Amino acid sequence: MQYCTIGEASAKFNIPESTIRYYEKKGLLPLIERDEAGRRLFSEAQIALLETVICLKNTHMPISSIKQYIDWVVEGDSTIDLRLEMMKNHKQAVLAEISLMTESLKGIDVKITRYTNRK
Amino acid sequence: MQYCTIGEASAKFNIPESTIRYYEKKGLLPLIERDEAGRRLFSEAQIALLETVICLKNTHMPISSIKQYIDWVVEGDSTIDLRLEMMKNHKQAVLAEISLMTESLKGIDVKITRYTNRK
DNA sequence: ATACGACTTAAACCATGGTTTAAGTCAACA
DNA sequence: TGTTGACTTAAACCATGGTTTAAGTCGTAT
């Protein structure tokens, strides 16, 4: 149950401190505690939330949607159905994007093959 | 060997005409012919080039890099080695991005499972 | 003749997702 | 005691990738 600073969170996930502050300002990291000097203190729960934000970002969810999801998390168990539906829909979107990339990769492989043979 | 209009190209790839004009302005679609009235005429070769641009875009190559690639295509066979290396590097970047998305999808699946069981 | 739809342009506008800057606070160490 | 390093803020700034607007030109169907 250690608290960590923004510098440590930044190092842990390898993202700039400025990005973490930006996410907090956008409402993706609510309820972050502060020490007497006003510095952010990330609890394990906050770190887990940041990890979720990064997971959703890695799968290209827009910040506005991540905020909606986080708002639902904060709101509590009454929003579980909404969150479940959102995650299911998001999963389908991610699978579709992976399919598109995988399909497009074939076109790139064709070029690689052609250029390799033309060398 | 049919020429097609921007409207037909737009319909064929399901992208706005404005995007096609934007790509041309950015140098991704060079040497496009015009009719007497100044309207764009897309030859089969141009359509193939547009398809390549879309393929690279689908795999998230930035416009500046797509332009570099197209410039090399226009330059001719002397740039084949450069193009080959670029496509190889790009392929690795795409595979890395797909891996990250696939990995992050696991975190989403965990939420789906948890929310499903908590209903 | 005219009106419509498809096209043209340059320039302005927009959303997204940060990053950078400037000025300041604080704790700890020399 | 003073200076360094890690933090704070609000606001300005930036890149990317388009989209929209306004004003105009054609070709064709009525």
Side-chain angles (χ1 to χ4, degrees):
Chain A
M1 294 294 176
Q2 286 282 15
Y3 281 91
C4 76
T5 66
I6 195 171
E8 288 161 345
S10 161
K12 181 173 181 103
F13 295 111
N14 198 30
I15 58 175
E17 297 181 8
S18 64
T19 301
I20 298 179
R21 294 192 189 100
Y22 171 75
Y23 288 167
E24 190 196 14
K25 186 154 52 173
K26 284 295 184 174
L28 309 189
L29 300 172
L31 313 174
I32 291 188
E33 299 172 62
R34 306 295 174 117
D35 69 9
E36 328 74 43
R39 286 170 294 199
R40 290 166 184 80
L41 291 177
F42 293 81
S43 67
E44 307 236 318
Q46 301 297 334
I47 291 292
L49 213 52
L50 177 52
E51 192 166 17
T52 293
V53 168
I54 289 169
C55 167
L56 295 177
K57 271 220 32 83
N58 284 344
T59 51
H60 305 158
M61 183 181 282
I63 286 189
S64 56
S65 303
I66 300 177
K67 171 157 171 47
Q68 173 69 87
Y69 175 76
I70 296 292
D71 285 349
W72 279 334
V73 169
V74 170
E75 202 176 327
D77 281 1
S78 64
T79 62
I80 284 180
D81 285 1
L82 293 167
R83 283 183 260 163
L84 175 57
E85 207 197 329
M86 185 187 215
M87 288 302 114
K88 281 181 174 175
N89 288 340
H90 183 53
K91 177 179 179 174
Q92 291 315 306
V94 174
L95 290 175
E97 198 183 342
I98 290 174
S99 289
L100 179 59
M101 293 182 78
T102 302
E103 193 56 35
S104 301
L105 211 42
K106 292 184 191 167
I108 291 167
D109 277 330
V110 166
K111 290 181 193 307
I112 290 175
T113 302
R114 180 150 25 85
Y115 291 150
T116 299
N117 294 335
R118 265 214 262 169
K119 274 184 79 165
Chain B
M1 294 291 179
Q2 285 282 14
Y3 283 92
C4 76
T5 66
I6 195 172
E8 288 160 347
S10 161
K12 181 173 181 104
F13 295 111
N14 199 30
I15 58 174
E17 297 181 9
S18 64
T19 301
I20 298 179
R21 293 192 189 100
Y22 171 74
Y23 288 167
E24 189 196 14
K25 185 155 52 175
K26 284 294 183 174
L28 310 189
L29 301 172
L31 312 174
I32 291 189
E33 299 173 61
R34 307 295 175 116
D35 68 9
E36 328 74 43
R39 285 169 296 198
R40 290 167 183 81
L41 291 178
F42 293 81
S43 66
E44 306 236 318
Q46 301 296 334
I47 291 292
L49 213 52
L50 177 53
E51 192 166 15
T52 294
V53 168
I54 290 170
C55 169
L56 295 177
K57 272 220 30 84
N58 284 345
T59 51
H60 304 161
M61 182 180 283
I63 286 189
S64 55
S65 304
I66 300 177
K67 172 159 170 45
Q68 173 67 89
Y69 175 76
I70 296 291
D71 285 351
W72 280 334
V73 169
V74 171
E75 202 175 329
D77 281 2
S78 64
T79 62
I80 285 181
D81 285 2
L82 293 166
R83 283 183 259 163
L84 174 58
E85 206 197 330
M86 184 186 216
M87 287 303 114
K88 281 180 173 174
N89 289 340
H90 182 53
K91 178 178 178 174
Q92 291 315 306
V94 175
L95 289 175
E97 199 184 340
I98 290 175
S99 289
L100 179 59
M101 292 182 79
T102 302
E103 193 57 35
S104 300
L105 210 43
K106 292 183 190 166
I108 291 166
D109 277 330
V110 166
K111 290 182 193 308
I112 290 175
T113 302
R114 179 150 27 84
Y115 292 150
T116 299
N117 294 333
R118 266 214 261 168
K119 276 184 76 165

